[in-house]
């Protein structure tokens, strides 16, 4: 018979892993030497990381509840499998031509499209209709492709346009990776709080819409278009 996990075991493990990561990061930066940046760059970097954090939060909040939500709607495992395949398939198909479309119509517009498309995907979770949810999965797959292409593309192009040194870009990507990991942890906690607070499996998807809306607002107000 499996032994019960000690209360707080996972949280303690998380703290230990965070401490190890922090030490490794400190050691890495110490070897490379400190990077001296300008206030203008720090502001640019902070705005990007805030938007990126909100964008990935909108993605991470959904993950743990997709299957549970479909199951609560009494879909069979076969139906749920089709829904998941539709999402991964759309990401594959639309991801092929996404780069050229982004270059043609603009990276800022593409990032805004991510926020809008993913928000629509979240809204479909309110219906227990298979075809509505199928459309939502297709939209989610498209948005997922945009998340891991257009945001990085906008950052690189804008960084170079402003004439910042290349090593500063490496720092931003480093911080973005850390941000993504921290947001994933926070999303797990926030999703559980929202789900329990509203007693609804749809609530985390609604919370995702809020973060996507915040990201879209900052993109509209602070980002410039680049192609």
């Amino acid at each position: 018979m499996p032994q019960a996990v000690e209360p707080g075991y996972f949280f303690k493990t998380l703290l230990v892993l965070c401490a190890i990561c922090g030490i490794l990061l400190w050691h890495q930066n110490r070897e490379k030497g400190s990077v001296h940046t300008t206030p203008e760059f720090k502001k640019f970097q902070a705005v990007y990381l805030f938007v990126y954090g909100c964008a990935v939060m909108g993605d991470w909040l959904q993950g743990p509840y997709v299957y549970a939500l479909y199951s609560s709607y009494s879909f069979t495992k076969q139906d749920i499998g089709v829904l998941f395949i539709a999402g991964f398939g759309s990401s594959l198909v639309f991801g092929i031509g996404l780069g050229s479309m982004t270059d043609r119509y603009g990276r800022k517009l593409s990032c805004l499209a991510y926020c809008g498309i993913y928000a629509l995907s979240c809204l479909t979770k309110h219906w227990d209709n298979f075809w509505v949810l199928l459309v939502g999965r297709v939209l989610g797959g498209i948005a997922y492709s945009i998340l891991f292409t257009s945001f990085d593309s906008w950052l690189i192009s804008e960084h170079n346009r402003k004439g910042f040194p290349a090593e500063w870009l490496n720092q931003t990507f480093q911080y973005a990776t850390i941000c993504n990991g921290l947001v994933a942890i926070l999303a797990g906690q926030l999703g559980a709080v929202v789900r329990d607070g509203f007693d609804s499996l749809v609530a985390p998807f609604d919370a995702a819409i809020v973060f996507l809306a915040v990201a879209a607002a900052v993109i509209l107000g602070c980002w410039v278009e680049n192609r």
Side-chain angles (χ1 to χ4, degrees):
M1 188 173 181
Q3 296 181 345
V5 178
E6 176 189 353
Y9 169 79
F10 293 108
F11 183 70
K12 292 176 183 177
T13 303
L14 173 64
L15 290 179
V16 172
L17 292 174
C18 286
I20 293 173
C21 289
I23 293 172
L24 291 174
L25 182 63
W26 172 79
H27 181 69
Q28 182 184 34
N29 289 335
R30 184 183 179 186
E31 286 186 339
K32 290 182 177 179
S34 59
V35 178
H36 299 286
T37 59
T38 63
E40 179 189 4
F41 173 76
K42 289 179 180 178
K43 180 180 178 181
F44 167 76
Q45 186 182 68
V47 171
Y48 173 79
L49 291 174
F50 177 79
V51 170
Y52 181 74
C54 289
V56 293
M57 177 67 85
D59 178 57
W60 281 115
L61 275 170
Q62 303 176 49
Y65 304 101
V66 178
Y67 185 89
L69 180 67
Y70 293 159
S71 227
S72 71
Y73 286 155
S74 301
F75 289 118
T76 65
K77 288 185 177 181
Q78 182 178 1
D79 289 337
I80 295 174
V82 171
L83 290 171
F84 273 92
I85 290 172
F88 296 134
S90 68
S91 180
L92 171 65
V93 172
F94 287 96
I96 294 173
L98 185 61
S100 59
M101 290 180 62
T102 298
D103 292 338
R104 180 176 180 181
Y105 296 106
R107 299 177 181 94
K108 174 183 176 180
L109 181 61
S110 182
C111 293
L112 285 172
Y114 162 80
C115 298
I117 292 171
Y118 227 172
L120 288 175
S121 175
C122 291
L123 283 175
T124 63
K125 302 301 188 294
H126 284 272
W127 285 268
D128 59 357
N129 181 281
F130 177 82
W131 298 106
V132 173
L133 292 172
L134 184 65
V135 171
R137 284 298 298 175
V138 171
L139 292 174
I142 297 171
Y144 192 79
S145 294
I146 297 174
L147 174 61
F148 294 103
T149 53
S150 296
F151 282 84
D152 290 352
S153 180
W154 181 90
L155 171 64
I156 294 171
S157 178
E158 191 62 17
H159 182 100
N160 292 332
R161 188 186 71 82
K162 287 180 175 291
F164 295 133
E167 58 268 23
W168 295 3
L169 181 62
N170 294 334
Q171 184 190 76
T172 303
F173 277 122
Q174 183 183 61
Y175 288 167
T177 301
I178 297 171
C179 174
N180 191 20
L182 292 175
V183 166
I185 297 169
L186 292 174
Q189 300 300 315
L190 178 59
V193 169
V194 172
R195 178 203 60 201
D196 295 340
F198 290 91
D199 192 25
S200 170
L201 287 170
V202 182
F205 296 92
D206 291 336
I209 294 176
V210 174
F211 283 96
L212 293 169
V214 171
V218 178
I219 290 172
L220 276 172
C222 301
W223 286 20
V224 298
E225 186 58 275
N226 60 48
R227 292 180 174 84

